[in-house]
């Protein structure tokens, strides 16, 4: 009986379980996780922190998921090494595998900052435990300094806003959410958040900390009760690199999600994906991407050859009630419409006769049509461009493409 072992217990791991069980109902599956919890949805920790999601609603799968899929889970242990067909745990035990999936995700990046060790109440914000630790310290009026105006920092800020904290966000970048928004969209979102009471100090960084204050490089000083560091993440690649596998910015895999080590696969935020919208290899730290990579890895581990294709960066997220969906690459010719009073912004990006990317803010309807155009690389010659820009719908496609999409016919 084949032994499949998975290191990790988040989206990629769950995708792998489902992938394995779609092919092999009987082989053994063991999950190794350094957390103590049933699989939970990491994007929900901010909603848990603000009180919108209860404990029993944060889980990524139903309570009997492991039992139904005949999965053994080893909780609260860390995988230390991969060697000789075994995973060596930090308690000295060894878990043998025939096929192994590394789904170790990423960890918070904490840059060197002068006297950071003097700050007693400092946190990152990537796990349920980190959210719980922050929740214990925050009451109405608590002064919170967040370093980082990206996705993680602003979701933390939004949650703390609902707890009536006094929030200041500092970032070295000149705008918020630089990884997903352009300058104008960032301005609209920044004003929206500032109108709710959150303060931003951009284009600067911390020069030095004391116990409850930060001196910034622009000369300002910010007092705080707690500090949250959310400047970015780094993939957990060490298990594979130490075992001799190829690692660049993340773990390198082929389209089967197999690493350069025999019988070892990898999926999720720890891996490099091929972004078909920009034709580049990059880390796509996205839950849907992690799940689908895990599912492909699982099927291959169980013996069914499957490829992971057409990955693109995509984010569907809201901040302080204003929703955004973004996808693809922003390198190309831009078509922009805006209604700043209604906080509506739309940018479509075209290149080489294809839709390559988009930003939708405020009005995010029909984003799925744009996303499918990017993933499937549908030529613009096959669509009604006026409908594409203004009212995307199935009627903008030619008859043959509509039949393919609606009836499953080949184009």
């Amino acid at each position: 009986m084949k032994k499949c072992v998975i290191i990790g217990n988040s989206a990629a791991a769950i995708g792998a379980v489902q992938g394995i069980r779609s092919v092999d109902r009987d082989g053994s599956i063991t999950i190794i996780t350094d957390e103590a919890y049933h699989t939970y949805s990491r994007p929900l920790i901010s909603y848990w922190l603000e009180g919108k999601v209860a404990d029993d609603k944060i889980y990524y799968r139903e309570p009997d998921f492991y039992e139904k899929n005949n999965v053994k889970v080893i909780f609260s242990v860390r995988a230390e090494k991969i060697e000789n067909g075994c995973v060596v745990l930090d308690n000295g035990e060894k878990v043998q595998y025939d096929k192994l999936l590394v789904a170790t995700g990423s960890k918070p990046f904490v840059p060197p900052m002068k006297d950071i060790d003097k700050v007693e109440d400092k946190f990152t914000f990537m796990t349920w435990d980190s959210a719980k630790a922050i929740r214990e310290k925050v009451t109405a009026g608590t002064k919170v300094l967040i370093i980082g105006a990206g996705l993680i920092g602003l979701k933390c800020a939004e949650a703390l806003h609902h707890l009536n904290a006094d929030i200041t966000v500092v970032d070295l970048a000149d705008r918020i959410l630089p990884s997903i928004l352009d300058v104008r969209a960032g301005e609209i979102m920044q004003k929206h958040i500032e109108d709710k009471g959150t303060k931003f100090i951009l284009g600067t960084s911390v020069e030095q900390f004391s116990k409850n204050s930060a001196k910034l490089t622009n000369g300002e000083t910010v007092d705080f009760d707690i500090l949250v560091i959310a400047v970015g993440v780094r993939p957990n690649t060490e298990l594979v690199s130490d075992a001799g596998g190829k690692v660049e910015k993340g773990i390198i895999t082929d389209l089967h999600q197999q690493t350069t080590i025999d019988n070892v696969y990898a999926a999720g935020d720890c891996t490099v994906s091929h972004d078909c919208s920009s034709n580049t290899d990059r880390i796509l730290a996205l839950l849907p991407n992690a799940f689908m990579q895990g599912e492909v890895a699982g099927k291959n581990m169980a013996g069914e050859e499957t490829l992971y294709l057409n990955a693109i960066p995509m984010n569907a997220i809201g901040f302080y009630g204003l929703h955004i969906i973004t996808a693809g690459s922003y390198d190309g010719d831009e078509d922009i419409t805006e209604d700043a009073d209604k906080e509506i912004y739309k940018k479509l990006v075209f290149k080489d006769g294809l839709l390559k990317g988009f930003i939708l803010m405020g009005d995010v309807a029909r984003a799925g049509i744009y996303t499918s155009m990017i993933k499937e690389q549908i030529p613009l010659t096959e669509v009604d461009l006026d409908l594409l820009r203004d009212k995307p719908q199935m009627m903008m496609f030619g008859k043959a493409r509509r039949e393919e999409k609606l009836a499953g016919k080949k184009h």
Side-chain angles (χ1 to χ4, degrees), residues 7 25 45 49 75 83 95 100 137 170 179 191 200-202 229 249 251 282 292 298-299 309 316 334 354 372 382:
I7 304 172
R25 295 301 306 174
I45 65 170
L49 177 58
F75 291 103
E83 65 177 12
V95 180
L100 172 67
K137 296 289 183 178
V170 170
S179 67
K191 182 179 184 304
F200 290 98
I201 306 174
L202 302 177
I229 302 166
K249 290 186 176 178
I251 298 168
R282 52 187 294 201
M292 290 185 287
K299 288 180 177 180
L309 303 168
E334 301 174 355
L354 301 169
S372 68
E382 295 187 18

Side-chain angles (χ1 to χ4, degrees), residues 366 369 387-388 390-397 402:
R366 306 295 180 121
I369 291 179
L387 286 177
L388 171 67
D390 300 327
K391 296 179 180 178
Q393 55 190 276
M394 290 303 296
M395 285 305 297
M396 74 186 191
F397 297 105
R402 288 202 307 273

Side-chain angles (χ1 to χ4, degrees), residues 11 38 45 53 97 108 114-115 144 150 189 334 336 397:
H38 182 92
I45 65 170
V53 170
Y97 65 83
K114 189 174 181 181
D115 291 335
V144 182
M189 180 59 78
E334 301 174 355
I336 297 174
F397 297 105

Side-chain angles (χ1 to χ4, degrees), residues 108 211 214 319 372:
K211 181 179 178 181
F319 296 97
S372 68

